[in-house]
Amino acid sequence: MTITPDPWETLRTSALLGTDRRPLPATALPLADAVDRSDPATALLELAALATVRRRAGALPVPATEPPGPPAPEDHRPELPEAAARRLAVLLTGRSGGSGTGGTLANLAELLPQWLATARAEGLRPPAALIPGLLDAARARSELRPDAVALAGPLGHWLAARNPDWRFVLRTTAAEPAPRPDAPDDHRPWHEGLFAERVTHLTLLRRRDPAAGLQLLRGTWSTERAEDRLLFLDALQDGLSPADEPFLEAALGDRSKNVRATAAELLSTLPGSALAGRMAERARAAVALAGSGTHLLVTPPTACDERMQRDGIAPKSPTGRGERAWWFGEVVAAAPLALWPESTGLTPEQLLALRVGDSVDETSSSWADDLREAWARAAVRQHDADWARALLGPAPVPPARGVGRARGARATGAPAKLLAVLPPPERAAWTAAFIEVHGLGDSFQLLGACATPWTPPLSTTVVAALARAAASGAYPWSHSGVLGMTERALAPGAAAAVEELAAGAAPDSAWSETFARLAGTLRFRAAMLDELRPTADAG
């Protein structure tokens, strides 16, 4: 019996070896005779295309190896409006079209997260036909998974149980089903699941019942690997309370230094914990009010003893800083911020205004930056808005026309982290004031800390700053990071102002194309969000 070789395999072999070493095979593919073989490499690709169509067209359904089981549970959420469903199909395929303003749209894949978050917040359900594509997108982009899994709902879980490619659905924290009040907790995922499934189970349980989550972790803690203990401990951030202190205090004696450090950081966010008290005592010894309240005197630790190491302070600096500076920063960052006003009677603003000296030279300011940086870390860790506000300082103020210089600090990485501690409206107002004074050059991290979509005042300020940048002769790519963010975060209502900038720019210039693209994207986002409103199909 003669066995006919598979055309696909023969072509694959030629591709792997190269057409110089393996001549193109004769194939019985339909239309193969029409392929021009004068250029073997091009001919190989054309034959491969024919073989691909043949393989796909000739594929037969695979017989079911097991009963399909019960159907997917019903999903009682309202279905997406028809226009929104069409929009989702466009976003999933990444197709782009004209914007209606003469420019092209931004990368639609960058707008998908906003669409998913909005649809989820509206409590809508995608059509069943779109859920496989939605899960494929989430499989490729992990940042989409929480919202995509929540939107996919019961059908998404049903499909994931039957397709190994979508198993991530069962490990995603957004996949929390609503428990029945009379249903006992099923901890099989914790005892039998993969590591990621165990982390998900613990995280969801902590959100629902922190005490039960702690009890579950405590039951297997001694048998867990060090790297697993670290991530399980991190999951305790959800619902962290003084009830967790005894467990975390015991974890300070763990064999793993990373576990010890994580336990110490969690305890430092509990101002009433014993660790916070120990750090407060060390901080009092390191920083004192001196000179009748005229300055702060810094006396950094001279050694890192065993008790400090147990409390999560590494004896060797991992940052390259001097050891005493490292120990000092770790102590102050872990001490409760309430310690300083209570012990000095001064507000955060008053404390930050004091001169900083040391025990060798009280006129030296060498420790001022270390102290301020440690207080900033403490404010972020303890989510203390008063201290964050004081460390940021007042919003920058432009100078009077023709007089002096602008007042207000320039941005670094720390202000963005401090800004994230403030309420969203205050973040936006502070960032808008900064951009008005300093422009867009140092604003990327600050804008990233602001809630999206940006408020109308912040959006107006950003558009004005873009106009100034264009007028100054700067190139758009010098602000590429901010421009990419504006496409996703600028208020859609700013589209008209951006269209005016596009119309006023030199024809066919880089800024003309940039503004037209941004305006088209804003129009697209406006329509996208309108379609998700409950009344989108009305009338």
Side-chain angles (χ1 to χ4, degrees):
M1 180 178 65
T2 302
I3 300 177
T4 304
D6 181 0
W8 178 260
E9 289 302 321
T10 57
L11 292 170
R12 182 172 175 269
T13 302
S14 294
L16 291 172
L17 297 178
T19 53
D20 291 340
R21 298 174 57 191
R22 181 66 176 265
L24 287 176
T27 70
L29 289 171
L31 303 179
D33 293 339
V35 173
D36 182 1
R37 298 189 177 224
S38 58
D39 180 355
T42 302
L44 176 64
L45 294 176
E46 292 181 357
L47 289 170
L50 288 171
T52 299
V53 173
R54 176 179 179 271
R55 284 162 60 88
R56 290 180 177 173
L60 296 175
V62 178
T65 57
E66 60 182 27
E74 287 192 34
D75 190 338
H76 298 289
R77 295 175 297 172
E79 189 168 291
L80 284 172
E82 185 178 345
R86 289 195 300 268
R87 184 79 61 174
L88 175 59
V90 170
L91 291 170
L92 290 174
T93 57
R95 295 195 305 270
S96 181
S99 65
T101 60
T104 58
L105 294 175
N107 181 3
L108 295 187
E110 296 300 318
L111 303 183
L112 183 57
Q114 187 173 146
W115 188 97
L116 295 176
T118 306
R120 179 183 181 183
E122 293 288 346
L124 300 171
R125 166 175 58 90
L130 293 180
I131 288 182
L134 180 61
L135 296 182
D136 281 341
R139 180 191 178 206
R141 298 173 59 186
S142 59
E143 77 275 13
L144 301 179
R145 291 179 183 177
D147 288 331
V149 168
L151 280 171
L155 179 55
H157 286 78
W158 188 89
L159 291 171
R162 290 156 177 81
N163 186 343
D165 288 346
W166 298 331
R167 290 283 294 175
F168 69 84
V169 171
L170 308 178
R171 302 191 298 267
T172 301
T173 53
E176 180 177 17
R180 299 195 315 270
D182 59 337
D185 285 325
D186 182 0
H187 297 313
R188 282 179 298 175
W190 175 255
H191 297 294
E192 302 173 7
L194 301 173
F195 172 69
E197 293 168 333
R198 299 183 71 209
V199 171
T200 296
H201 183 78
L202 178 61
T203 301
L204 295 177
L205 184 58
R206 282 286 294 185
R207 291 176 183 175
R208 188 172 70 247
D209 187 344
L214 178 63
Q215 182 180 359
L216 188 67
L217 179 58
R218 194 193 297 273
T220 62
W221 181 255
S222 61
T223 64
E224 305 290 355
R225 300 180 305 167
E227 55 267 33
D228 295 349
R229 293 199 302 275
L230 178 63
L231 291 180
F232 291 149
L233 200 62
D234 201 49
L236 296 187
Q237 292 183 73
D238 286 297
L240 187 68
S241 73
D244 300 310
E245 183 182 355
F247 179 79
L248 294 172
E249 186 72 27
L252 292 175
D254 195 272
R255 299 185 301 274
S256 167
K257 67 177 182 179
N258 290 331
V259 171
R260 295 196 300 270
T262 300
E265 184 166 346
L266 290 173
L267 284 168
S268 71
T269 66
L270 297 173
S273 68
L275 179 136
R278 296 191 294 271
M279 289 297 190
E281 287 301 316
R282 295 171 183 133
R284 286 192 188 95
V287 183
L289 189 63
S292 300
T294 60
H295 64 278
L296 295 171
L297 188 64
V298 171
T299 307
T302 57
C304 185
D305 57 31
E306 291 185 359
R307 290 178 301 172
M308 290 172 65
Q309 293 180 44
R310 184 180 182 276
D311 285 346
I313 300 177
K316 300 290 184 182
S317 170
T319 64
R321 300 169 65 185
E323 290 182 348
R324 296 187 71 191
W326 164 253
W327 300 331
F328 173 75
E330 291 296 284
V331 165
V332 175
L337 284 167
L339 158 71
W340 308 108
E342 290 173 359
S343 61
T344 64
L346 301 176
T347 66
E349 290 81 4
Q350 291 170 329
L351 284 163
L352 288 164
L354 294 177
R355 179 171 53 82
V356 179
D358 61 38
S359 55
V360 177
D361 182 2
E362 293 193 11
T363 64
S364 169
S365 60
S366 60
W367 291 99
D369 289 344
D370 294 279
L371 180 58
R372 190 180 187 93
E373 187 269 342
W375 275 339
R377 288 166 55 200
V380 172
R381 186 181 296 179
Q382 297 172 35
H383 300 284
D384 192 308
D386 289 335
W387 269 92
R389 200 172 286 116
L391 286 157
L392 280 168
V397 178
R401 182 174 297 179
V403 179
R405 299 175 60 187
R407 290 182 285 116
R410 297 189 69 83
T412 65
K417 294 179 181 179
L418 291 168
L419 202 63
V421 178
L422 302 181
E426 193 172 349
R427 281 183 244 162
W430 200 96
T431 302
F434 180 92
I435 292 172
E436 186 176 352
V437 172
H438 298 297
L440 296 171
D442 295 321
S443 67
F444 181 78
Q445 290 183 326
L446 299 178
L447 287 168
C450 294
T452 58
W454 296 332
T455 62
L458 176 56
S459 296
T460 299
T461 300
V462 170
V463 171
L466 287 172
R468 292 196 300 272
S472 71
Y475 292 104
W477 47 86
S478 64
H479 297 293
S480 59
V482 170
L483 283 166
M485 199 181 299
T486 60
E487 292 176 343
R488 303 185 299 272
L490 202 67
V498 177
E499 287 170 346
E500 288 183 13
L501 294 179
D508 299 324
S509 66
W511 278 109
S512 174
E513 294 177 4
T514 297
F515 288 140
R517 169 189 168 106
L518 177 56
T521 301
L522 293 175
R523 295 293 186 193
F524 184 96
R525 282 178 51 218
M528 177 181 86
L529 298 175
D530 284 344
E531 291 162 358
L532 289 169
R533 294 173 181 169
T535 58
D537 280 343

